[in-house]
Amino acid sequence: MTTRTQSARQFLTQAREALSSPADLPAILWPHAKMTGFETLARRDLERAFRDLDLTDSHGFEAARLASLREAFPGAIVVDVSATTAPVHRPLDGITVEVLTAPPHRGHDGVHLADLTADDHCDLLLEAAAVPVIKITLAPDHHPGAPLILSSTGAAANLEIHVGARSTVTLIQLSSANAPVRLGLTHVHLHEHSLVHHVSVGAHAPHTVALEHLVAHVHHSASLHQFHSDTSGRVVRTRRDIHLLGGGASVHAKALLTVTDALEAHHYTHVTHHVQHTQSSQLTRGLGFGQGKGSDQSVVHIKPFAAQSQSTQSSRHLLLDDRAQIHARPILEIFNHDVKASHGATVGSLDPQMAFYLQSRGLSPQEAQLCLQRAFWHEALPAEPQAVLSEWFDHTLFIPLSAS
Amino acid sequence: MTTCLQIDNLHATVNGKPVLNGLSLHVGLGEVHAIMGPNGAGKSSLSQLLAGKPDYTVTSGSATFMGEDLLNLSIEERACRGLFLGFQYPIEIPGVSNIYLLKAAVNARRKQQGLPEVDAFDFLNLVKAHTEAMKMNDSFLNRGVNEGFSGGEKKRNEILQMLVLEPTLALLDETDSGLDIDALKVVAQGVNSARSPQRSIVLVTHYQRLLDYIVPDHVHVLAHGKIVHSGDASVARELEAKGYDWITETP
């Protein structure tokens, strides 16, 4: 049994032992989970999933689905970053790909286990299982003309991305698993004056419990545009921890949350303004179909020294069925008076006046609903590459959902 | 003359409250009618009911449009058959561009008529011509429907939609409200340009000033949910001079 006095290293030792008997893992992982999302998860599903845990499973789900997105970027540089296979890549100008088979210990020592989040546990689990880290480094002053597609297939993903100073890159990270559990961890480091568009899309098997964790360190005058969405899976939990570490650093975190009868999804985004003159915006749009349920928790934490920082939060959700549930929970933690911060959260249904207006122009009720849905979630899409993603989500997710 | 709209002894309620109490109206094809009346007379209720707004319940009476039972048609069927409602308060729909809605609406009607989808190039030219006529900037087309539009811009956008959709019957619900004199003239020019032997227009308005620019063939006074007086364009001037009281006493 775990106790409050255990250190993370003790947890690691225990997790290593537990990996040989995965049925014990839920007891290790979940008692300390504090996040809203986990409180609503179907515990039986989780226990069943972890009973069958296999972090060596390298299979993805419906390869064609993500392949269709890859095809939308014919000039893109594709790197296989699946932890369970050797990375496949061609020599890339300015980009290096390494496999760290002895991953660095990320330093949870001395922290009481009760203070660790479930995501910390997952990170430690990846470490315990010695899942290799795929490290991608973009050289300073580098501007690849095409997006970099990171294909992450299988039960485990452990990725570290370094974007050099003054570099600009679009990263499209596609995650897919067929295993009962997927644990995904991505660390992104943006060095000064770099600009990163990071698009993260998950498409997992209908029985997969996926836990994805993004940690971003944004340095002086660097800018991160991050987007995340999942199109399938049993339960998907996404956590984003973004640290604004240098003056002029900014993050624009967008997310599209879709919950259906088959997919339960939870988003948790935590932005920390560590220093002054930093800027953040969080925008989540959610759509609830059938009996789907999910949550969006957005936290902005402005440290005492982060004067003249600016932050906005917007969490809006549309329930398309009386039985759907989405919980929105925006949180501001501000420890400096000289900041600008705002937040807003709404959960509602389609506006019948809007539907009437569109129908009065000849659109059928189904067309009107799809049109309004599209208008609603379109705002959550990243500016880059918006058109491709818009079409892909339409055909992959929303048109089939609306038809059903 | 072909009958475009025929309403006989129509009674309707909204949330159980009567709003139309035996309204009868005949609109011939190619005619322009004006319906005037005080606040709460039922003018907007009539136009929204005819467009199919689900809030309204018809308790008795009938309405036919080009010989077809209008009340049995869905909202979109009415639109596809050529009935257009110009809204008193046009709805803002962020994320749905004006050009997208116009094209979807045109194609919905063409589909009902058994025609192929409109050619993109021809469509754009047509829309741009009407946009210019309505003194609207092209950039409006790519903005969300009515999103951030002023009151006058919204009304002009309604008339732009009418011009592009070329309806058989246009119900214009207080198109003049909230317009300054210049915008009123532009809107009136747009409506006048749409006058045709193949199109009927029903203007719902409080004031005579719109009818200075769009001269109707017939003017009706609606009060207490029914037409209480009808006549030619001179009725509007008479109302302007005398008000509604002399004609709308409680029955």
Side-chain angles (χ1 to χ4, degrees), chain A residues 353-368:
Chain A
Q353 304 294 333
M354 288 186 183
F356 173 61
Y357 189 89
L358 295 178
Q359 286 176 254
S360 79
R361 299 302 183 246
L363 277 66
S364 69
Q366 294 75 21
E367 289 168 332

Side-chain angles (χ1 to χ4, degrees), chain A residues 206 233-234 258-264 288-293 321 323-324 401 404:
Chain A
R234 169 66 190 89
T258 307
V259 298
T260 68
D261 287 336
L263 170 64
E264 178 177 330
F289 294 88
Q291 299 184 61
K293 61 179 180 179
D321 191 299
R323 299 164 301 167
L401 273 173
S404 65

Side-chain angles (χ1 to χ4, degrees), chain B residues 151-164:
Chain B
E153 287 168 340
K154 285 179 181 174
K155 296 299 176 74
R156 274 192 266 180
N157 195 30
E158 294 292 287
I159 301 303
L160 171 69
Q161 291 181 27
M162 180 194 75
L163 294 173
V164 172

